[in-house]
Amino acid sequence: MPDSNASSICIFTTDANLNVRSWDSRMAEMTGKSASEVCGQPLSLIIPDLESRGLLTRFSRVLSTGAIESLAPGFHHYLIPCSPSTPSKYFDKMQQRVTIAPIREKQVITGVVVMIEDVTARMDQERDLAVQLTKPRESHRGLGREQAVPSLYGPASIIDALADESWQVRRDAVDTIALNHDPDIAVKLVRDLREEHHNISILNSVLQVLALSNVDAVPALIACLSDTDADLRIYAALALGEQHDPRAIPSLIEALNDPDTNVRYHAIDSLGHLRATEAVDILTEIAASGDFFLGFPALDALLRIGERATASPRLVPLLQNELLGPAVVEVLEKIGDREVVPALAELLNGFQPPTLLVVKAIAAIYRRDERIYGQGIAIADLTVHRLNEAAIGVLINAIPHAAEEELADLILLLGWLDAPEVEVAMTGLISHGSLRDQVIDTLIHYGRREKDKGDRICALLMEQLDAVEIETREAAVMALGKIGNSRVVPALIALLNEESESELVITATNALAQIGDRRAFEPLLALLGHPDPAVRQGAIAALDSLGHPELENQVTQLLSSPNPRLRESAVRIAGYFAFPQCVEFIFACTRDESEKVRRAAIEHLPYLEDDERALDTLRRVLVQETPRVRAAAARALGEIENVSVYQDLIQALSDEDPWVRYYAVRSLGKLDYQEHRQDACATPQNSLFDILAPIALTDPSNPVRGAIAEVLGNIRGLDAVPLLTTLAEVEDGDGDIARAALTALGYIEHPDADSALLKALYSHNPERRIDSIQALGKRAVGAGLPASSEDNLNTSSEAIRTAVDALQWLVLSDTEPKVIQCGIDTLQRVNRDEATQALIELTIEPTRREACCTALAQLGESHLDQIAVGLNHIHPGVRCAIVNVLTRLKNPKASELLIAMLDDQDSEVRLASTVALGRLGNRACDDKLAHLAHTDPDPAVRRAAQKVLQR
C-alpha cells in the first residue's frame, strides 16, 4: 500500500531525441518500471500510443519553441496508462495532470522535463460533488466551501444549483463554475441570464461567475444589450465591464444611446472599468451636460481612463456646478494639465470653495509637470496670477483643517505667494515636525528675496527663538543661518550661553559660520572650553571659517591655558592653520598631562611634516602612549609622505588595541606601493598581502578585517580574490566586512572576482545586493578608462558588459525598491553606451520606466544619439519612454526626432510625441499636427493635436 503522505508528483527527463535520461522513484512506483529498464529507451517505446493520441506533437513543440505544454486530466486523462494509486469508483486508470517543460543549457534546449501529478482522488471528489448537488436536502447538497472544487462533469447539475434556495449551495456552485473552462457552462450561464434574470438568486450567482471565471461569455452578453427587456440590458452592461475584454467597448458605446437611463449608467461604468479611450469624447459630453445622475459615473469613468483622457476644456465649466464641481476637481487632479490650472485657481477666489481639493489638484499637476517636463514653475505662475487677496485668506484659513498630506500641498502653494500674512502663517508651521524641512526651505526662499522682505522673514524667525520646543528653535536658527542676513547675529550670539541646550548652541555656531560676521569672534572663543565636545567642535569650525586676524594671537595664549579643554581646542585650531608662532606649543602638547590634548596634538602633526620632529614624535607615540593616542599616531602616519613609516605601521598591526590596528591598516592602504617596492627598506607589495591575509581571517575586530579587505582591493591583486570571496560572505559586524570585500572585488578585473560579485546579487540581504551593485558599477566605470594595451581594452570591454548585464537583470528582477533604484543610478553613473542601452531596455517594464527615464535624461545632450536609438525599439512602451526623455532634454535635435515620431505606427507613441511637442512649443510641426487632428484613427491623438494647435 503506497504511503498516503508521499508526494503525488513524479518526474522524468529526456534528451533532445526524446530518449529517457532520468526516471525517479515515484515514476518507478507508479509504472512498475525501474529506472534501469527505461533510461536510454525512446519515450515512444515506453508510451506506444504517444503519437496516435496526438501527444508527440506536444513534446516536439516544447523542444522547438521552448514553450511549456500542459495535458489536462479532464481531456487527456493520462500520459502513461497505469492503475490508480488508491482504488477509484469512477476511473480504472490513474488521472494525471502533466506539465512538459524545456531543459536548457545556456540558450540551447537539450531535452524536456515531465512532471506528472496524480489527481485521481481530486477528480473522484468532483464526480461526488456533481452527484451531491442533485440531492433533495440542503444538508446533502451543501458540501461546504472547502469541498467546492471545479467539476468537469455534469455542468447542467452544477448550473442548476445556482437557483438553489440555499445561499451556501449557490456560493459553492459559483466557486465551482468559476474555476471551470467547459464551453457548455458558458452557454448555459448566458441562457440563464436571459431567461432567469428576474430570479435574483440566479442573477447574482451568474454575475459572480462571469466576473470570476475564464468563461468567454462576451459575444452572448453583447447580444443581450439588444434585448427588449431593459433589466437584461442593464445586467449585460454591468457584466461586460467585469469581463475586462475590449471587444465589448463598441457595443457599450452604442448602449450610451439606450432609452433606459439605468442601461446608460451601467454602460458608462463599464467603459470606465475597460479604460475605453474611444469613449472619452462622448463621456466628456455626458459629464459636461450637467446631468447629475449620469455625470458622476461619466466623471468617474474619465478618471479611470486616466492620462489618455486628456483634460478637455469642456469639463472646466462644470467646476462651477455645485453638485458636480468637487468631482470634476478630483478628475482634473489625475488627468489635468496646465490648461486647467487657471480655472482651478479661480475657484479659490469664490465663495466657500473646496479649498483642500483644489490645492491637492494644483499640487498634483505641478508635481507631474515638474517630474515629466521640469516646468513646474509654469504651474506656479499660472496659479499665482489668478489668486486674489480673498484666496490667500482662504488658503491660510485652511491650514488648521488640513491633514498632513494636505498640509504639504498647502505649504507648496503658499510658498509661491508673496504676502506678509503668508510669511507669518508659514513661520508658524515650523513646529510641524514631519513638514519642518519643507517649511524651512520655503522660508529660506522668502528670506533671500530683496532686503526688506528678507528682514521681515528674519524678524518672524527670530520670534521662534523663544518657542517652547527645542526642535522649533533649532529649525529657526538653521533657517536664519542659510538666509545669511547679518542683522540676526546678535540674536544668535545670545544663544551661545550655558543656559542654552547644547544642540541649540551647536546649530547656532553653524549658523554664525555660514553668516561669517566677525562680531561672533569673541563669543565663539568663549565656547572653546565648553564641557560638551560637540559644542567645542562647532565653535572651532565656526572660528576657522571666520578668518579673524586676531585668531593666531588668541590661540597662542590659549595653548598655555590651565584649562585642558581650552588647550585641546587651541591645538586643533593652531594645528589646522599651522600657525608659525604655535609650532613649539603644539610639540609641547604632545607630552601634555591631558590625554585629549596629546591626542589632538598628534592628530595635527601631519600639518607640520616639514619639521623633523613630527615623524620622530609619531614613532615614539606609536609604541609608548595610551591606546587612543597610539591610534591617533597610526592614523597620522598615513598622512606623512615618507616611505620609512611603512615598517612602523607593519609593527602596529600587532598592537593589542583594535583601533590602533585599524588605523595602521588604513594608513598602509594610503601608501604608494610602487615607491615602497623600489625602496630598499620597504616591504614588497606581495609581502604586504602575505602579512594582511591571515589577519583578515583571524583578527577579532570586525572593523580591522573590513579595513584589510579594502586595502587588498586597492592592491588590485589577483591573489586576493579567494580571500575577498570568503570575506564577502561574512555577515558579522552589520555586514561591514562583506561590504568592504565586495567593494575591493570591484577593483579586480578577473572572472573569479566577477563570480563573487554576481553571487552577491542573489543574497537574501538587500544591503549585500546593493553593495554588489555599487562594486559592479565601480568596476564598469573603472573599466571605461583608457586601456594601456589591446588586451587590457578587451578585458575592460568584457568587464563593462558583465557589469551592465548583471545590473540590468537585477533591476528587472528585484522586488526591493532601494535595490532597484540603486541599480538604475549605477547604470546611469557607468555612463557608457552599453549602460545607456540597458536603461532603454528596462523601460519595457512600466514599474521601472519613470526611474529609467529620469536616469537617461540626466545623461544629458551628450548622449542624445545613444538615447535616440530607443525610438526604433520594437516595443511601443520603450518608444514612449524615449519620447519622454527627449522632451526633458529640450534640444533642437530632440525636437526633430519627436516630429518624426508623429508618424509612428503606434497611437500611444503618436500621442506622447504630440503632447511633448505641445509642451516644447515647437511650431515646425503645425502642418503635421493639423493632419493628425483631422485624420488620426485614435481619438486621443486627434484631441491632443487639436489642443496643441489651439495653443
Side-chain angles (χ1 to χ4, degrees):
M1 186 79 171
D3 182 1
S4 61
N5 294 321
S7 171
S8 63
I9 296 178
C10 47
I11 298 174
F12 71 89
T13 63
T14 77
D15 59 19
N17 296 317
L18 294 182
N19 295 316
V20 176
R21 289 202 301 198
S22 67
W23 190 265
D24 73 5
S25 58
R26 280 284 294 137
M27 286 296 305
E29 180 184 334
M30 183 183 82
T31 63
K33 297 180 179 180
S34 66
S36 59
E37 291 180 74
V38 298
C39 285
Q41 298 294 323
L43 188 60
S44 57
L45 186 63
I46 299 166
I47 311 174
D49 59 353
L50 187 67
E51 184 171 6
S52 62
R53 292 167 58 201
L55 302 181
L56 183 60
T57 57
R58 298 295 190 100
F59 285 85
S60 300
R61 272 204 300 269
V62 173
L63 289 168
S64 61
T65 67
I68 297 176
E69 292 278 343
S70 297
L71 306 182
F75 182 76
H76 298 97
H77 299 291
Y78 55 82
L79 172 64
I80 301 177
C82 57
S83 299
S85 56
T86 57
S88 168
K89 58 183 176 180
Y90 298 111
F91 307 104
D92 61 348
K93 289 186 173 58
M94 178 189 291
Q95 302 298 289
Q96 301 167 0
R97 184 183 303 281
V98 181
T99 303
I100 311 165
I103 298 174
R104 299 178 187 269
E105 293 182 9
K106 296 184 178 180
Q107 300 301 317
V108 179
I109 298 174
T110 59
V112 299
V113 56
V114 181
M115 289 165 281
I116 300 176
E117 179 185 5
D118 181 357
V119 295
T120 311
R122 188 161 63 207
M123 295 186 70
D124 277 348
Q125 276 188 308
E126 294 173 2
R127 283 287 183 93
D128 287 340
L129 176 62
V131 173
Q132 199 81 353
L133 287 170
T134 64
K135 293 187 177 181
R137 293 181 57 190
E138 177 182 339
S139 60
H140 292 159
R141 297 193 310 274
L143 301 181
R145 180 173 296 275
E146 68 279 2
Q147 292 176 289
V149 293
S151 175
L152 299 177
Y153 307 96
S157 302
I158 296 178
I159 293 178
D160 289 342
L162 293 175
D164 197 279
E165 61 187 22
S166 168
W167 70 267
Q168 292 99 331
V169 174
R170 296 198 303 272
R171 177 197 62 190
D172 292 345
V174 167
D175 288 346
T176 300
I177 303 171
L179 297 175
N180 211 323
H181 301 272
D182 194 322
D184 292 340
I185 292 181
V187 174
K188 184 76 167 75
L189 283 173
V190 177
R191 186 168 69 245
D192 281 351
L193 184 65
R194 279 179 172 275
E195 298 174 0
E196 304 288 346
H197 64 269
H198 291 294
N199 183 325
I200 193 66
S201 296
I202 291 183
L203 174 64
N204 288 335
S205 297
V206 169
L207 292 179
Q208 287 181 60
V209 171
L210 291 176
L212 295 173
S213 71
N214 293 317
V215 172
D216 183 12
V218 171
L221 287 170
I222 289 174
C224 289
L225 287 175
S226 303
D227 198 273
T228 56
D229 190 316
D231 287 342
L232 181 57
R233 300 201 302 276
I234 290 171
Y235 300 135
L238 175 61
L240 283 169
E242 299 293 340
Q243 291 294 291
H244 305 291
D245 192 318
R247 290 178 295 168
I249 291 174
S251 298
L252 286 170
I253 291 176
E254 188 175 340
L256 296 178
N257 298 314
D258 194 281
D260 189 282
T261 303
N262 288 310
V263 175
R264 300 200 299 274
Y265 179 96
H266 287 291
I268 291 170
D269 187 59
S270 290
L271 287 167
H273 280 291
L274 295 172
R275 290 177 170 79
T277 58
E278 304 94 320
V280 166
D281 285 337
I282 190 168
L283 289 173
T284 304
E285 289 178 10
I286 293 171
S289 69
D291 184 318
F292 178 77
F293 183 72
L294 296 180
F296 272 115
L299 289 170
D300 186 63
L302 290 170
L303 191 59
R304 288 176 181 273
I305 293 170
E307 293 183 9
R308 286 269 301 181
T310 51
S312 170
R314 286 174 290 178
L315 290 180
V316 169
L318 287 178
L319 289 171
Q320 304 300 327
N321 186 300
E322 185 177 351
L323 295 175
L324 294 175
V328 175
V329 173
E330 292 188 50
V331 173
L332 296 181
E333 174 199 336
K334 301 296 183 183
I335 65 176
D337 59 14
R338 66 179 62 182
E339 288 193 9
V340 304
V341 169
L344 286 169
E346 284 283 0
L347 283 179
L348 297 173
N349 297 330
F351 178 70
Q352 293 184 340
T355 307
L356 294 175
L357 278 179
V358 173
V359 168
K360 185 180 179 184
I362 294 176
I365 296 171
Y366 167 86
R367 293 189 178 104
R368 193 157 56 239
D369 225 58
E370 181 66 21
R371 172 175 56 84
I372 299 175
Y373 305 108
Q375 296 176 353
I377 187 63
I379 305 300
D381 289 341
L382 288 169
T383 303
V384 171
H385 291 155
R386 291 285 179 154
L387 297 181
N388 58 26
E389 291 185 10
I392 295 174
V394 165
L395 292 172
I396 293 173
N397 292 335
I399 291 175
H401 310 289
E404 186 170 303
E405 185 176 340
E406 295 170 327
L407 195 54
D409 293 336
L410 263 174
I411 292 170
L412 175 66
L413 263 69
L414 288 169
W416 301 339
L417 302 173
D418 184 6
E421 58 268 36
V422 172
E423 295 166 359
V424 173
M426 290 291 288
T427 308
L429 289 171
I430 290 181
S431 60
H432 286 267
S434 60
L435 300 172
R436 187 175 289 123
D437 290 343
Q438 184 184 358
V439 173
I440 288 176
D441 288 343
T442 303
L443 291 172
I444 291 170
H445 174 69
Y446 285 158
R448 288 174 176 172
R449 295 172 179 174
E450 53 265 36
K451 186 178 184 305
D452 60 333
K453 295 177 182 177
D455 290 346
R456 189 167 63 234
I457 285 294
C458 289
L460 291 169
L461 286 169
M462 284 191 289
E463 292 177 8
Q464 298 295 321
L465 298 181
D466 296 323
V468 175
E469 290 186 350
I470 181 66
E471 294 83 5
T472 299
R473 297 160 69 194
E474 283 188 73
V477 171
M478 188 184 306
L480 289 169
K482 291 184 177 180
I483 291 171
N485 192 322
S486 61
R487 66 168 291 187
V488 306
V489 170
L492 295 177
I493 290 174
L495 299 175
L496 306 181
N497 57 70
E498 292 187 3
E499 287 76 27
S500 298
E501 301 270 357
S502 290
E503 293 85 353
L504 186 61
V505 175
I506 295 168
T507 306
T509 61
N510 183 54
L512 288 167
Q514 290 176 303
I515 296 171
D517 193 298
R518 290 183 176 179
R519 286 177 291 175
F521 180 65
E522 293 292 340
L524 287 169
L525 279 175
L527 292 176
L528 294 181
H530 197 282
D532 189 328
V535 172
R536 297 200 300 273
Q537 187 55 47
I540 291 169
L543 287 167
D544 289 347
S545 69
L546 289 182
H548 198 283
E550 281 297 310
L551 183 61
E552 184 173 1
N553 291 331
Q554 292 290 338
V555 167
T556 303
Q557 296 177 27
L558 292 175
L559 285 169
S560 302
S561 170
N563 186 333
R565 293 172 185 159
L566 288 173
R567 295 199 303 276
E568 179 191 354
S569 297
V571 166
R572 295 190 181 282
I573 295 173
Y576 177 77
F577 286 106
F579 290 139
Q581 68 186 51
C582 299
V583 171
E584 295 302 324
F585 289 99
I586 294 174
F587 278 107
C589 285
T590 62
R591 297 180 182 274
D592 196 278
E593 63 182 19
S594 168
E595 181 189 63
K596 292 181 179 179
V597 175
R598 297 197 306 275
R599 188 173 63 180
I602 292 299
E603 288 173 351
H604 288 82
L605 285 182
Y607 295 99
L608 307 176
E609 63 177 324
D610 292 338
D611 193 310
E612 295 180 355
R613 292 173 294 175
L615 183 54
D616 292 339
T617 301
L618 289 173
R619 282 175 165 158
R620 170 183 62 81
V621 167
L622 190 61
V623 295
Q624 296 179 0
E625 263 286 359
T626 61
R628 291 186 177 183
V629 180
R630 296 202 306 274
R635 184 178 184 181
L637 283 170
E639 306 296 333
I640 298 289
E641 295 183 2
N642 189 320
V643 296
S644 65
V645 305
Y646 192 83
Q647 293 294 346
D648 299 291
L649 292 169
I650 293 293
Q651 292 175 9
L653 294 175
S654 302
D655 196 283
E656 63 182 13
D657 186 79
W659 291 109
V660 176
R661 302 196 302 274
Y662 172 82
Y663 284 114
V665 172
R666 295 296 301 268
S667 292
L668 284 168
K670 293 180 180 180
L671 299 177
D672 185 341
Y673 298 111
Q674 294 300 324
E675 289 185 13
H676 299 156
R677 194 180 294 119
Q678 296 169 5
D679 193 282
C681 66
T683 301
Q685 175 179 321
N686 57 356
S687 296
L688 177 62
F689 172 80
D690 294 337
I691 293 169
L692 293 180
I695 301 174
L697 295 173
T698 60
D699 198 284
S701 169
N702 288 329
V704 173
R705 298 170 69 190
I708 291 174
E710 184 176 338
V711 170
L712 294 179
N714 290 332
I715 294 175
R716 303 192 185 198
L718 180 58
D719 293 342
V721 171
L723 174 62
L724 292 173
T725 300
T726 300
L727 295 177
E729 297 180 359
V730 176
E731 286 294 338
D732 296 343
D734 295 327
D736 291 340
I737 297 173
R739 181 175 299 109
L742 290 169
T743 300
L745 286 165
Y747 292 119
I748 301 172
E749 290 187 20
H750 190 272
D752 291 345
D754 292 342
S755 298
L757 291 173
L758 295 176
K759 182 179 179 181
L761 291 180
Y762 292 92
S763 171
H764 68 280
N765 186 343
E767 298 299 332
R768 292 296 79 73
R769 301 202 295 274
I770 289 176
D771 295 337
S772 181
I773 289 170
Q774 293 173 339
L776 285 166
K778 290 175 182 176
R779 158 77 59 78
V781 171
L785 298 175
S788 58
S789 68
E790 185 175 347
D791 289 341
N792 287 340
L793 179 62
N794 292 334
T795 302
S796 297
S797 298
E798 184 61 33
I800 293 172
R801 284 194 295 271
T802 299
V804 169
D805 288 347
L807 291 172
Q808 182 178 347
W809 169 82
L810 188 70
V811 169
L812 193 60
S813 61
D814 210 283
T815 58
E816 187 70 34
K818 62 182 179 181
V819 176
I820 295 169
Q821 189 60 54
C822 180
I824 292 172
D825 292 342
T826 302
L827 283 170
Q828 189 255 318
R829 286 196 299 273
V830 168
N831 198 16
R832 302 278 296 182
D833 289 354
E834 296 91 337
T836 302
Q837 184 59 40
L839 288 170
I840 291 172
E841 290 293 334
L842 285 168
T843 61
I844 291 177
E845 173 54 49
T847 60
R848 312 293 192 265
R849 188 167 296 158
E850 174 57 31
C852 289
C853 285
T854 299
L856 287 166
Q858 289 173 349
L859 291 173
E861 296 179 8
S862 60
H863 288 69
L864 179 59
D865 290 340
Q866 296 97 313
I867 293 171
V869 171
L871 294 175
N872 299 317
H873 199 280
I874 190 171
H875 196 291
V878 174
R879 302 202 297 277
C880 285
I882 301 307
V883 167
N884 181 309
V885 175
L886 294 177
T887 308
R888 301 187 197 192
L889 293 179
K890 301 182 180 68
N891 178 277
K893 184 176 179 181
S895 294
E896 293 176 10
L897 293 168
L898 291 173
I899 293 172
M901 297 310 290
L902 295 175
D903 296 322
D904 194 274
Q905 62 183 0
D906 188 86
S907 62
E908 294 288 344
V909 180
R910 298 197 302 277
L911 177 61
S913 303
T914 301
V915 173
L917 289 164
R919 293 284 185 178
L920 295 174
N922 191 299
R923 303 306 302 271
C925 56
D926 282 3
D927 290 343
K928 272 196 171 186
L929 289 175
H931 181 71
L932 289 178
H934 292 92
T935 64
D936 198 278
D938 189 294
V941 177
R942 295 198 301 273
R943 287 192 303 272
Q946 291 164 5
K947 180 182 291 188
V948 173
L949 291 171
Q950 289 167 1
R951 289 178 186 171

